[in-house]
Amino acid sequence: MKRHLISAGDLTRDDALLVLDTAEELARVSERSIKKLPTLRGRTVVNLFYEDSTRTRISFEAAAKRLSADVINFSAKGSSVSKGESLKDTALTLEAMGADAVVIRHGASGAPHRLATWVRGSVVNAGDGTHEHPTQALLDAFSMRRRMGRIDGLKVSIVGDVLHSRVARSNVLLLHALGAEVTVVAPPTLLPVSVDTWPCQVSYDIDAILPKSDVVMMLRVQLERMNAAYFPSAREYSRRYGLDRERFARLHDDAIVMHPGPMNRGMEISAEVADSPRSTIVEQVANGVTVRMAVLYLLLSGSEPAIGGDL
Amino acid sequence: MSDARNQARAVLEGPDIHRALTRIAHEILERTKGAEKVVLLGIPTRGATLAHRIAARISQFEGVKVPVGAIDITMYRDDLRLRPARPLGRTDLPADGIDGRTVVLVDDVLFSGRTVRAALDALNDVGRPRAVQLATLVDRGHRELPIRADYVGKNLPTSKSEKVKVYLEEIDGRDAVLLVKGDDRPAAGEENGER
Protein backbone atom coordinates (compact mmCIF):
# COMPACT_ATOMS: atom_id res chain seq x y z
CA MET A 1 0.00 0.00 0.00
CA LYS A 2 1.22 3.47 -0.87
CA ARG A 3 1.09 6.02 1.90
CA HIS A 4 1.95 9.68 2.13
CA LEU A 5 2.56 12.37 4.68
CA ILE A 6 0.53 15.27 3.39
CA SER A 7 -1.27 16.45 6.49
CA ALA A 8 -0.45 16.11 10.16
CA GLY A 9 -3.99 14.76 10.29
CA ASP A 10 -2.75 11.69 8.36
CA LEU A 11 -1.01 10.58 11.53
CA THR A 12 -2.84 8.74 14.25
CA ARG A 13 -1.64 9.22 17.79
CA ASP A 14 0.22 5.90 17.52
CA ASP A 15 1.81 6.92 14.20
CA ALA A 16 2.98 10.20 15.69
CA LEU A 17 4.42 8.50 18.76
CA LEU A 18 6.19 5.98 16.52
CA VAL A 19 7.82 8.85 14.62
CA LEU A 20 8.90 10.56 17.85
CA ASP A 21 10.27 7.34 19.38
CA THR A 22 12.11 6.46 16.18
CA ALA A 23 13.56 9.97 16.06
CA GLU A 24 14.68 9.61 19.67
CA GLU A 25 16.79 6.57 18.73
CA LEU A 26 18.05 8.23 15.57
CA ALA A 27 19.18 11.27 17.54
CA ARG A 28 21.94 9.09 18.91
CA VAL A 29 23.22 8.50 15.38
CA SER A 30 23.67 12.23 14.95
CA GLU A 31 25.96 12.26 17.96
CA ARG A 32 28.46 9.71 16.70
CA SER A 33 31.33 10.25 14.31
CA ILE A 34 29.89 8.22 11.44
CA LYS A 35 26.46 9.75 11.04
CA LYS A 36 25.30 7.37 8.36
CA LEU A 37 23.06 4.34 8.22
CA PRO A 38 22.77 1.96 5.26
CA THR A 39 19.02 1.59 5.56
CA LEU A 40 17.75 3.34 2.43
CA ARG A 41 20.62 2.33 0.16
CA GLY A 42 19.43 2.24 -3.42
CA ARG A 43 16.31 4.28 -2.77
CA THR A 44 15.83 7.66 -4.41
CA VAL A 45 14.40 10.70 -2.68
CA VAL A 46 13.56 13.75 -4.78
CA ASN A 47 13.41 17.16 -3.14
CA LEU A 48 11.03 19.18 -5.26
CA PHE A 49 11.14 22.76 -4.06
CA TYR A 50 8.99 25.35 -5.79
CA GLU A 51 9.46 27.88 -3.00
CA ASP A 52 12.60 29.19 -1.41
CA SER A 53 13.63 27.35 1.68
CA THR A 54 16.90 26.91 3.46
CA ARG A 55 16.40 24.84 6.55
CA THR A 56 13.67 22.53 5.33
CA ARG A 57 15.41 21.58 2.12
CA ILE A 58 18.80 21.13 3.74
CA SER A 59 17.20 19.21 6.55
CA PHE A 60 15.45 16.77 4.21
CA GLU A 61 18.60 16.41 2.17
CA ALA A 62 20.72 15.65 5.23
CA ALA A 63 18.11 13.22 6.52
CA ALA A 64 17.94 11.26 3.27
CA LYS A 65 21.72 11.21 2.91
CA ARG A 66 22.25 9.97 6.46
CA LEU A 67 20.03 7.04 5.56
CA SER A 68 22.13 6.42 2.41
CA ALA A 69 19.33 7.29 -0.02
CA ASP A 70 20.20 8.91 -3.32
CA VAL A 71 19.00 12.49 -3.28
CA ILE A 72 17.96 14.51 -6.30
CA ASN A 73 17.43 18.19 -5.57
CA PHE A 74 15.13 20.08 -7.80
CA SER A 75 14.40 23.73 -7.34
CA ALA A 76 12.03 25.63 -9.57
CA LYS A 77 14.60 28.32 -10.25
CA GLY A 78 16.85 27.33 -13.10
CA SER A 79 14.68 24.36 -14.08
CA SER A 80 12.15 23.75 -16.82
CA VAL A 81 9.54 25.24 -14.52
CA SER A 82 10.80 28.67 -15.52
CA LYS A 83 10.12 27.56 -19.11
CA GLY A 84 6.53 26.89 -18.13
CA GLU A 85 6.53 23.18 -17.32
CA SER A 86 3.51 22.13 -15.29
CA LEU A 87 3.64 20.32 -11.96
CA LYS A 88 2.19 17.25 -13.61
CA ASP A 89 4.82 17.09 -16.32
CA THR A 90 7.55 17.59 -13.76
CA ALA A 91 6.01 14.80 -11.70
CA LEU A 92 5.98 12.46 -14.67
CA THR A 93 9.64 13.23 -15.31
CA LEU A 94 10.48 12.36 -11.73
CA GLU A 95 8.38 9.24 -12.01
CA ALA A 96 10.43 8.16 -15.00
CA MET A 97 13.56 8.53 -12.87
CA GLY A 98 12.13 6.13 -10.33
CA ALA A 99 11.66 8.30 -7.27
CA ASP A 100 10.71 6.27 -4.17
CA ALA A 101 9.71 9.42 -2.32
CA VAL A 102 9.04 12.98 -3.40
CA VAL A 103 9.44 15.73 -0.86
CA ILE A 104 7.53 18.74 -2.11
CA ARG A 105 7.41 22.38 -1.09
CA HIS A 106 4.91 24.37 -3.15
CA GLY A 107 3.26 27.76 -2.95
CA ALA A 108 -0.17 26.34 -3.72
CA SER A 109 -2.14 24.63 -0.96
CA GLY A 110 -3.03 21.14 -2.09
CA ALA A 111 -0.15 20.68 -4.56
CA PRO A 112 1.27 17.65 -2.64
CA HIS A 113 -2.14 16.04 -2.71
CA ARG A 114 -2.36 16.44 -6.48
CA LEU A 115 1.18 15.17 -6.87
CA ALA A 116 0.37 12.04 -4.87
CA THR A 117 -2.14 10.99 -7.51
CA TRP A 118 0.50 11.20 -10.23
CA VAL A 119 3.53 9.45 -8.78
CA ARG A 120 4.12 5.92 -7.55
CA GLY A 121 6.33 6.85 -4.60
CA SER A 122 5.38 8.30 -1.24
CA VAL A 123 4.79 12.04 -1.13
CA VAL A 124 6.01 14.06 1.83
CA ASN A 125 4.60 17.56 2.21
CA ALA A 126 7.38 19.99 3.08
CA GLY A 127 4.99 22.94 3.17
CA ASP A 128 2.17 23.78 0.77
CA GLY A 129 0.83 27.33 0.57
CA THR A 130 -1.01 28.25 3.74
CA HIS A 131 -2.12 24.65 4.27
CA GLU A 132 0.25 22.34 6.13
CA HIS A 133 3.83 21.52 7.06
CA PRO A 134 3.58 18.22 8.90
CA THR A 135 7.28 17.49 9.43
CA GLN A 136 7.67 20.90 11.08
CA ALA A 137 4.90 19.96 13.49
CA LEU A 138 6.61 16.63 14.18
CA LEU A 139 9.93 18.27 14.93
CA ASP A 140 8.20 20.83 17.14
CA ALA A 141 6.48 18.04 19.05
CA PHE A 142 9.78 16.20 19.30
CA SER A 143 11.60 19.29 20.62
CA MET A 144 8.77 19.87 23.07
CA ARG A 145 8.85 16.32 24.37
CA ARG A 146 12.62 16.41 24.78
CA ARG A 147 12.47 19.61 26.81
CA MET A 148 9.31 19.01 28.81
CA GLY A 149 9.41 15.23 29.05
CA ARG A 150 5.85 14.85 27.77
CA ILE A 151 3.27 16.32 25.42
CA ASP A 152 0.09 14.96 26.95
CA GLY A 153 -1.57 17.70 29.00
CA LEU A 154 0.87 20.47 28.01
CA LYS A 155 -0.64 23.91 27.46
CA VAL A 156 0.70 25.17 24.15
CA SER A 157 0.07 28.66 22.79
CA ILE A 158 0.67 29.39 19.12
CA VAL A 159 1.00 33.13 18.60
CA GLY A 160 1.03 35.18 15.43
CA ASP A 161 -0.04 34.98 11.83
CA VAL A 162 -2.20 31.88 12.10
CA LEU A 163 -4.06 32.79 8.93
CA HIS A 164 -1.08 32.28 6.63
CA SER A 165 0.73 29.73 8.73
CA ARG A 166 0.97 26.13 7.60
CA VAL A 167 3.05 25.51 10.70
CA ALA A 168 0.16 26.54 12.96
CA ARG A 169 -2.38 24.30 11.26
CA SER A 170 -0.14 21.23 11.31
CA ASN A 171 0.84 21.85 14.91
CA VAL A 172 -2.74 22.23 16.07
CA LEU A 173 -3.72 18.91 14.47
CA LEU A 174 -0.69 17.00 15.69
CA LEU A 175 -0.49 18.40 19.20
CA HIS A 176 -4.19 17.80 19.68
CA ALA A 177 -3.72 14.16 18.63
CA LEU A 178 -0.89 13.90 21.16
CA GLY A 179 -3.03 15.23 23.98
CA ALA A 180 -1.81 18.81 24.33
CA GLU A 181 -4.21 21.70 24.96
CA VAL A 182 -3.57 24.19 22.19
CA THR A 183 -4.56 27.86 22.09
CA VAL A 184 -4.00 29.99 19.02
CA VAL A 185 -3.44 33.66 19.73
CA ALA A 186 -3.67 36.29 17.00
CA PRO A 187 -5.33 39.51 16.01
CA PRO A 188 -8.76 38.74 14.51
CA THR A 189 -7.53 39.70 11.05
CA LEU A 190 -4.87 36.99 11.19
CA LEU A 191 -7.16 34.09 12.07
CA PRO A 192 -8.72 31.92 9.37
CA VAL A 193 -12.51 31.91 9.12
CA SER A 194 -12.57 28.19 9.82
CA VAL A 195 -10.56 28.40 13.02
CA ASP A 196 -13.59 27.49 15.15
CA THR A 197 -13.54 24.03 13.54
CA TRP A 198 -9.92 23.46 14.65
CA PRO A 199 -9.36 21.36 17.77
CA CYS A 200 -8.04 24.29 19.79
CA GLN A 201 -8.98 27.39 21.80
CA VAL A 202 -8.77 30.86 20.28
CA SER A 203 -7.67 34.06 21.97
CA TYR A 204 -6.90 37.64 20.90
CA ASP A 205 -5.06 38.49 24.08
CA ILE A 206 -1.50 37.25 24.46
CA ASP A 207 -1.08 38.72 27.95
CA ALA A 208 -3.95 36.65 29.32
CA ILE A 209 -2.59 33.44 27.81
CA LEU A 210 1.13 33.66 28.55
CA PRO A 211 1.08 32.98 32.32
CA LYS A 212 -0.93 29.79 31.69
CA SER A 213 1.34 28.42 28.94
CA ASP A 214 3.94 25.66 29.17
CA VAL A 215 5.07 26.21 25.59
CA VAL A 216 4.85 29.41 23.57
CA MET A 217 5.32 29.00 19.87
CA MET A 218 5.88 32.28 18.04
CA LEU A 219 5.05 32.35 14.33
CA ARG A 220 6.92 34.40 11.81
CA VAL A 221 5.23 37.58 10.69
CA GLN A 222 5.28 37.20 6.96
CA LEU A 223 6.72 40.57 6.06
CA GLU A 224 5.83 40.03 2.42
CA ARG A 225 2.18 40.26 3.51
CA MET A 226 2.65 43.46 5.48
CA ASN A 227 1.18 45.68 2.77
CA ALA A 228 -2.11 43.84 2.87
CA ALA A 229 -3.19 45.76 5.99
CA TYR A 230 -3.74 42.81 8.31
CA PHE A 231 -2.44 45.05 11.06
CA PRO A 232 -1.77 48.81 11.21
CA SER A 233 2.01 48.77 11.50
CA ALA A 234 4.90 46.51 12.32
CA ARG A 235 5.49 48.46 15.49
CA GLU A 236 1.93 48.07 16.65
CA TYR A 237 1.98 44.35 15.94
CA SER A 238 5.20 43.98 17.83
CA ARG A 239 3.80 45.83 20.84
CA ARG A 240 0.57 43.88 20.97
CA TYR A 241 1.75 40.40 19.97
CA GLY A 242 5.54 40.37 20.13
CA LEU A 243 7.32 38.30 22.75
CA ASP A 244 9.63 40.80 24.43
CA ARG A 245 11.51 40.72 27.68
CA GLU A 246 8.55 41.86 29.80
CA ARG A 247 6.15 39.29 28.44
CA PHE A 248 8.84 36.63 28.67
CA ALA A 249 9.23 37.44 32.36
CA ARG A 250 5.57 36.63 32.92
CA LEU A 251 5.97 33.04 31.71
CA HIS A 252 6.32 30.47 34.45
CA ASP A 253 9.85 29.27 35.13
CA ASP A 254 9.73 26.02 33.19
CA ALA A 255 7.97 27.35 30.11
CA ILE A 256 9.83 27.22 26.82
CA VAL A 257 9.76 29.40 23.72
CA MET A 258 9.74 27.99 20.22
CA HIS A 259 9.94 29.50 16.74
CA PRO A 260 9.92 27.58 13.45
CA GLY A 261 12.25 30.13 11.83
CA PRO A 262 13.20 32.17 10.02
CA MET A 263 12.77 34.79 12.75
CA ASN A 264 12.23 38.51 12.48
CA ARG A 265 14.21 39.53 15.53
CA GLY A 266 12.67 42.53 17.20
CA MET A 267 9.34 41.90 15.51
CA GLU A 268 7.48 38.83 16.79
CA ILE A 269 10.32 37.87 19.13
CA SER A 270 13.02 39.99 20.73
CA ALA A 271 16.65 38.97 20.27
CA GLU A 272 17.02 38.53 23.99
CA VAL A 273 14.18 36.01 24.17
CA ALA A 274 15.31 34.19 21.04
CA ASP A 275 18.78 33.67 22.50
CA SER A 276 17.68 32.72 26.00
CA PRO A 277 18.37 29.21 27.29
CA ARG A 278 14.63 28.59 27.41
CA SER A 279 14.34 29.09 23.68
CA THR A 280 14.50 25.86 21.63
CA ILE A 281 15.08 27.55 18.30
CA VAL A 282 18.51 26.09 17.59
CA GLU A 283 17.51 22.62 18.83
CA GLN A 284 14.50 22.71 16.54
CA VAL A 285 16.82 22.87 13.54
CA ALA A 286 18.96 19.94 14.74
CA ASN A 287 15.87 17.95 15.63
CA GLY A 288 14.51 18.60 12.15
CA VAL A 289 17.09 16.26 10.63
CA THR A 290 16.37 13.41 13.05
CA VAL A 291 12.61 13.71 12.75
CA ARG A 292 12.80 13.73 8.96
CA MET A 293 15.07 10.70 9.08
CA ALA A 294 12.40 8.96 11.14
CA VAL A 295 9.69 9.92 8.64
CA LEU A 296 11.71 8.71 5.64
CA TYR A 297 12.68 5.53 7.48
CA LEU A 298 9.11 4.70 8.41
CA LEU A 299 7.76 5.51 4.94
CA LEU A 300 10.47 3.88 2.84
CA SER A 301 12.42 1.17 4.62
CA GLY A 302 9.88 -1.62 4.77
CA SER A 303 7.77 -3.52 2.31
CA GLU A 304 5.09 -0.94 3.03
CA PRO A 305 5.02 2.34 4.96
CA ALA A 306 4.44 2.18 8.70
CA ILE A 307 2.89 5.64 8.96
CA GLY A 308 0.91 8.13 6.94
CA GLY A 309 -2.38 8.39 5.12
CA ASP A 310 -3.56 7.04 1.82
CA LEU A 311 -5.50 9.10 -0.63
CA MET B 1 0.47 -16.83 22.77
CA SER B 2 -1.52 -19.11 25.04
CA ASP B 3 -2.31 -21.30 22.04
CA ALA B 4 1.35 -21.58 21.22
CA ARG B 5 2.23 -22.45 24.77
CA ASN B 6 0.00 -25.50 24.67
CA GLN B 7 2.33 -27.18 22.25
CA ALA B 8 5.47 -25.66 23.75
CA ARG B 9 8.14 -27.57 25.62
CA ALA B 10 10.41 -25.85 28.12
CA VAL B 11 14.01 -26.63 27.22
CA LEU B 12 15.56 -24.33 29.81
CA GLU B 13 13.99 -23.26 33.10
CA GLY B 14 15.11 -20.42 35.37
CA PRO B 15 17.93 -22.31 37.15
CA ASP B 16 19.27 -23.67 33.83
CA ILE B 17 19.45 -20.16 32.39
CA HIS B 18 21.14 -19.00 35.59
CA ARG B 19 23.79 -21.72 35.33
CA ALA B 20 24.34 -21.18 31.61
CA LEU B 21 24.97 -17.45 32.12
CA THR B 22 27.28 -18.19 35.04
CA ARG B 23 29.31 -20.52 32.86
CA ILE B 24 29.43 -17.98 30.02
CA ALA B 25 30.66 -15.32 32.46
CA HIS B 26 33.45 -17.67 33.61
CA GLU B 27 34.35 -18.53 30.03
CA ILE B 28 34.57 -14.86 29.09
CA LEU B 29 36.86 -14.24 32.06
CA GLU B 30 39.00 -17.19 31.05
CA ARG B 31 39.20 -16.48 27.35
CA THR B 32 39.85 -12.76 27.75
CA LYS B 33 42.27 -13.19 30.66
CA GLY B 34 40.23 -11.46 33.32
CA ALA B 35 37.85 -9.52 31.05
CA GLU B 36 40.36 -6.72 30.66
CA LYS B 37 39.29 -4.23 27.98
CA VAL B 38 36.10 -6.17 27.38
CA VAL B 39 32.83 -4.47 26.45
CA LEU B 40 29.56 -6.39 26.48
CA LEU B 41 27.07 -5.25 23.86
CA GLY B 42 23.61 -6.80 23.86
CA ILE B 43 21.34 -6.90 20.85
CA PRO B 44 17.95 -5.50 21.96
CA THR B 45 15.72 -6.44 23.52
CA ARG B 46 16.64 -9.64 25.31
CA GLY B 47 20.30 -9.69 24.31
CA ALA B 48 20.73 -6.38 26.13
CA THR B 49 19.16 -7.83 29.28
CA LEU B 50 21.44 -10.88 29.08
CA ALA B 51 24.49 -8.65 28.63
CA HIS B 52 23.66 -6.90 31.91
CA ARG B 53 23.25 -10.22 33.69
CA ILE B 54 26.61 -11.50 32.43
CA ALA B 55 28.32 -8.25 33.41
CA ALA B 56 26.86 -8.54 36.92
CA ARG B 57 28.30 -12.04 37.26
CA ILE B 58 31.72 -11.03 35.98
CA SER B 59 31.85 -8.24 38.52
CA GLN B 60 30.67 -10.64 41.24
CA PHE B 61 33.33 -13.27 40.41
CA GLU B 62 36.38 -11.10 39.91
CA GLY B 63 35.36 -7.62 40.93
CA VAL B 64 35.95 -6.17 37.46
CA LYS B 65 33.42 -3.68 36.17
CA VAL B 66 32.84 -4.49 32.52
CA PRO B 67 31.22 -1.73 30.45
CA VAL B 68 27.81 -2.87 29.16
CA GLY B 69 25.69 -1.44 26.38
CA ALA B 70 23.23 -2.24 23.67
CA ILE B 71 23.50 -2.02 19.91
CA ASP B 72 20.35 -1.93 17.82
CA ILE B 73 20.75 -3.58 14.44
CA THR B 74 17.36 -2.84 12.88
CA MET B 75 18.72 -0.29 10.42
CA TYR B 76 21.33 -2.81 9.25
CA ARG B 77 19.03 -5.79 8.64
CA ASP B 78 19.07 -7.42 5.22
CA ASP B 79 15.35 -8.21 5.29
CA LEU B 80 13.99 -4.71 5.91
CA ARG B 81 12.14 -4.64 2.63
CA LEU B 82 10.42 -7.96 3.26
CA ARG B 83 8.29 -6.59 6.07
CA PRO B 84 6.67 -3.28 7.03
CA ALA B 85 9.00 -0.73 8.60
CA ARG B 86 9.61 -1.67 12.21
CA PRO B 87 10.30 0.30 15.37
CA LEU B 88 13.91 0.77 16.40
CA GLY B 89 15.54 -0.67 19.51
CA ARG B 90 17.78 1.22 21.84
CA THR B 91 21.46 1.76 21.09
CA ASP B 92 23.38 2.59 24.19
CA LEU B 93 27.14 2.62 23.93
CA PRO B 94 29.48 2.82 26.93
CA ALA B 95 30.96 6.29 27.41
CA ASP B 96 34.48 5.16 26.52
CA GLY B 97 33.34 3.66 23.24
CA ILE B 98 34.56 0.40 21.74
CA ASP B 99 37.80 1.39 20.04
CA GLY B 100 40.57 -1.04 20.89
CA ARG B 101 38.30 -3.13 23.10
CA THR B 102 37.22 -6.74 22.83
CA VAL B 103 33.51 -6.52 22.13
CA VAL B 104 31.40 -9.48 23.17
CA LEU B 105 28.08 -9.33 21.33
CA VAL B 106 25.29 -10.92 23.34
CA ASP B 107 22.06 -12.25 21.83
CA ASP B 108 19.36 -14.57 23.07
CA VAL B 109 19.08 -16.96 20.12
CA LEU B 110 21.56 -17.65 17.33
CA PHE B 111 19.72 -18.89 14.26
CA SER B 112 20.46 -17.85 10.67
CA GLY B 113 23.34 -15.61 11.72
CA ARG B 114 21.84 -12.66 9.86
CA THR B 115 21.27 -10.65 13.01
CA VAL B 116 24.91 -11.07 13.94
CA ARG B 117 26.00 -10.06 10.47
CA ALA B 118 23.92 -6.90 10.86
CA ALA B 119 25.47 -6.32 14.28
CA LEU B 120 28.98 -6.55 12.80
CA ASP B 121 28.01 -3.89 10.25
CA ALA B 122 26.56 -1.73 12.98
CA LEU B 123 29.73 -2.08 15.07
CA ASN B 124 31.77 -0.98 12.09
CA ASP B 125 29.96 2.37 12.15
CA VAL B 126 30.51 3.06 15.83
CA GLY B 127 34.17 2.21 16.21
CA ARG B 128 36.99 -0.24 15.67
CA PRO B 129 37.11 -2.97 18.29
CA ARG B 130 40.29 -4.99 18.72
CA ALA B 131 38.24 -8.17 18.41
CA VAL B 132 34.60 -9.19 18.32
CA GLN B 133 33.23 -12.29 20.00
CA LEU B 134 29.71 -13.67 20.23
CA ALA B 135 27.80 -15.03 23.19
CA THR B 136 24.34 -16.54 22.82
CA LEU B 137 21.98 -18.16 25.28
CA VAL B 138 20.69 -20.66 22.72
CA ASP B 139 22.26 -21.84 19.49
CA ARG B 140 19.51 -23.47 17.49
CA GLY B 141 21.49 -24.18 14.32
CA HIS B 142 20.41 -23.59 10.70
CA ARG B 143 23.08 -21.03 9.95
CA GLU B 144 22.80 -19.23 6.63
CA LEU B 145 26.08 -17.35 6.97
CA PRO B 146 29.62 -18.33 8.08
CA ILE B 147 29.09 -17.19 11.68
CA ARG B 148 29.61 -19.09 14.93
CA ALA B 149 29.31 -18.28 18.61
CA ASP B 150 32.27 -18.15 21.01
CA TYR B 151 30.11 -18.72 24.10
CA VAL B 152 26.95 -20.82 23.97
CA GLY B 153 24.47 -21.35 26.80
CA LYS B 154 22.83 -24.34 25.18
CA ASN B 155 23.07 -26.01 21.81
CA LEU B 156 19.51 -26.81 20.88
CA PRO B 157 18.84 -29.03 17.88
CA THR B 158 15.66 -27.78 16.22
CA SER B 159 13.78 -28.23 13.03
CA LYS B 160 13.43 -25.14 10.91
CA SER B 161 9.68 -24.95 11.43
CA GLU B 162 10.00 -24.87 15.21
CA LYS B 163 10.24 -21.63 17.15
CA VAL B 164 12.45 -20.83 20.09
CA LYS B 165 10.97 -18.37 22.56
CA VAL B 166 13.06 -16.77 25.25
CA TYR B 167 11.39 -15.28 28.31
CA LEU B 168 13.39 -13.20 30.76
CA GLU B 169 12.34 -12.06 34.20
CA GLU B 170 13.12 -8.36 33.56
CA ILE B 171 10.93 -8.23 30.46
CA ASP B 172 8.48 -11.11 30.63
CA GLY B 173 8.20 -11.73 34.36
CA ARG B 174 9.78 -15.18 34.22
CA ASP B 175 12.84 -17.02 32.97
CA ALA B 176 12.37 -19.80 30.43
CA VAL B 177 13.32 -20.98 26.98
CA LEU B 178 10.50 -22.73 25.15
CA LEU B 179 10.61 -24.80 22.02
CA VAL B 180 7.34 -24.34 20.18
CA LYS B 181 6.26 -27.04 17.75
CA GLY B 182 6.12 -25.52 14.31
CA ASP B 183 3.04 -24.93 12.29
CA ASP B 184 3.49 -24.69 8.55
CA ARG B 185 4.61 -21.12 8.64
CA PRO B 186 8.32 -20.63 8.19
CA ALA B 187 10.07 -19.59 11.38
CA ALA B 188 10.32 -15.81 11.45
CA GLY B 189 9.90 -12.88 13.74
CA GLU B 190 12.49 -11.86 16.26
CA GLU B 191 10.45 -9.49 18.36
CA ASN B 192 9.17 -11.05 21.56
CA GLY B 193 12.20 -13.27 21.61
CA GLU B 194 10.92 -15.57 18.92
CA ARG B 195 13.41 -17.12 16.65
Side-chain angles (χ1 to χ4, degrees), chain A:
Chain A
M1 186 177 52
K2 177 170 90 168
R3 289 167 89 185
H4 311 283
L5 182 57
I6 291 170
S7 159
D10 291 341
L11 299 171
T12 63
R13 182 187 159 85
D14 286 348
D15 280 353
L17 288 173
L18 180 60
V19 174
L20 300 188
D21 292 343
T22 304
E24 196 67 56
E25 299 305 333
L26 289 172
R28 290 153 184 265
V29 175
S30 312
E31 288 162 11
R32 62 191 210 193
S33 58
I34 300 179
K35 300 177 180 54
K36 207 168 174 81
L37 293 160
T39 316
L40 296 185
R41 213 174 49 190
R43 303 240 163 163
T44 303
V45 175
V46 174
N47 287 328
L48 186 58
F49 277 66
Y50 284 85
E51 269 188 349
D52 295 340
S53 157
T54 317
R55 73 200 72 216
T56 307
R57 190 180 57 74
I58 290 177
S59 180
F60 267 110
E61 183 174 350
K65 285 183 170 167
R66 283 191 188 171
L67 292 169
S68 304
D70 295 317
V71 180
I72 299 174
N73 285 314
F74 171 101
S75 61
K77 272 185 204 134
S79 72
S80 317
V81 171
S82 43
K83 299 182 191 165
E85 190 175 60
S86 70
L87 176 61
K88 180 164 187 178
D89 288 329
T90 306
L92 294 177
T93 306
L94 299 176
E95 186 64 12
M97 291 177 183
D100 296 292
V102 181
V103 176
I104 178 173
R105 155 80 50 108
H106 200 286
S109 304
H113 189 269
R114 293 291 284 155
L115 181 70
T117 61
W118 295 324
V119 295
R120 242 173 301 151
S122 290
V123 172
V124 179
N125 181 0
D128 60 331
T130 59
H131 177 226
E132 286 226 38
H133 193 354
T135 58
Q136 177 71 43
L138 284 164
L139 79 89
D140 289 340
F142 181 74
S143 307
M144 229 177 266
R145 194 173 74 165
R146 282 205 130 184
R147 275 288 186 113
M148 310 298 283
R150 68 194 167 102
I151 293 172
D152 202 30
L154 280 186
K155 293 188 170 57
V156 181
S157 307
I158 302 176
V159 184
D161 183 357
V162 177
L163 176 63
H164 300 106
S165 174
R166 48 201 178 205
V167 176
R169 185 189 303 258
S170 289
N171 260 301
V172 166
L173 292 172
L174 184 75
L175 292 172
H176 171 73
L178 290 169
E181 294 169 36
V182 186
T183 307
V184 295
V185 184
T189 49
L190 287 177
L191 285 169
V193 177
S194 63
V195 74
D196 51 350
T197 64
W198 292 15
C200 65
Q201 308 286 313
V202 179
S203 170
Y204 306 134
D205 183 1
I206 185 172
D207 293 303
I209 295 300
L210 284 183
K212 294 185 260 178
S213 304
D214 300 310
V215 177
V216 182
M217 189 182 295
M218 301 307 295
L219 300 174
R220 183 171 74 94
V221 173
Q222 310 197 6
L223 292 170
E224 56 272 27
R225 305 187 202 275
M226 284 277 289
N227 299 330
Y230 290 104
F231 44 85
S233 72
R235 193 170 138 77
E236 170 151 353
Y237 178 88
S238 182
R239 277 179 46 197
R240 296 213 31 202
Y241 289 95
L243 189 60
D244 53 19
R245 187 194 339 186
E246 279 166 39
R247 289 204 168 101
F248 183 64
R250 267 177 266 148
L251 287 170
H252 70 71
D253 291 346
D254 300 325
I256 56 168
V257 176
M258 309 183 74
H259 193 299
M263 287 182 275
N264 304 306
R265 284 171 183 258
M267 177 80 176
E268 70 268 6
I269 188 164
S270 74
E272 199 181 346
V273 175
D275 298 331
S276 96
R278 280 156 62 194
S279 136
T280 64
I281 296 165
V282 179
E283 283 154 61
Q284 282 172 270
V285 178
N287 292 341
V289 178
T290 13
V291 165
R292 289 175 177 121
M293 283 173 79
V295 166
L296 292 174
Y297 168 71
L298 293 169
L299 280 175
L300 296 184
S301 76
S303 55
E304 56 184 62
I307 56 164
D310 32 86
L311 288 187

Side-chain angles (χ1 to χ4, degrees), chain B residues 4 30 34 84 91 136 151 194:
Chain B
E30 196 180 333
T91 292
T136 181
Y151 313 101
E194 287 176 21

Side-chain angles (χ1 to χ4, degrees), chain B residues 40-92:
Chain B
L40 296 176
L41 286 185
I43 298 172
T45 316
R46 284 165 185 77
T49 307
L50 292 172
H52 277 100
R53 287 199 195 178
I54 294 170
R57 283 170 170 76
I58 289 177
S59 123
Q60 186 191 331
F61 300 149
E62 307 232 333
V64 256
K65 271 207 90 51
V66 180
V68 200
I71 186 154
D72 181 51
I73 54 98
T74 310
M75 306 287 269
Y76 295 86
R77 301 191 73 93
D78 61 6
D79 61 350
L80 278 172
R81 292 192 191 187
L82 303 180
R83 295 212 268 146
R86 56 195 102 191
L88 302 183
R90 168 64 44 103
T91 292
D92 202 0

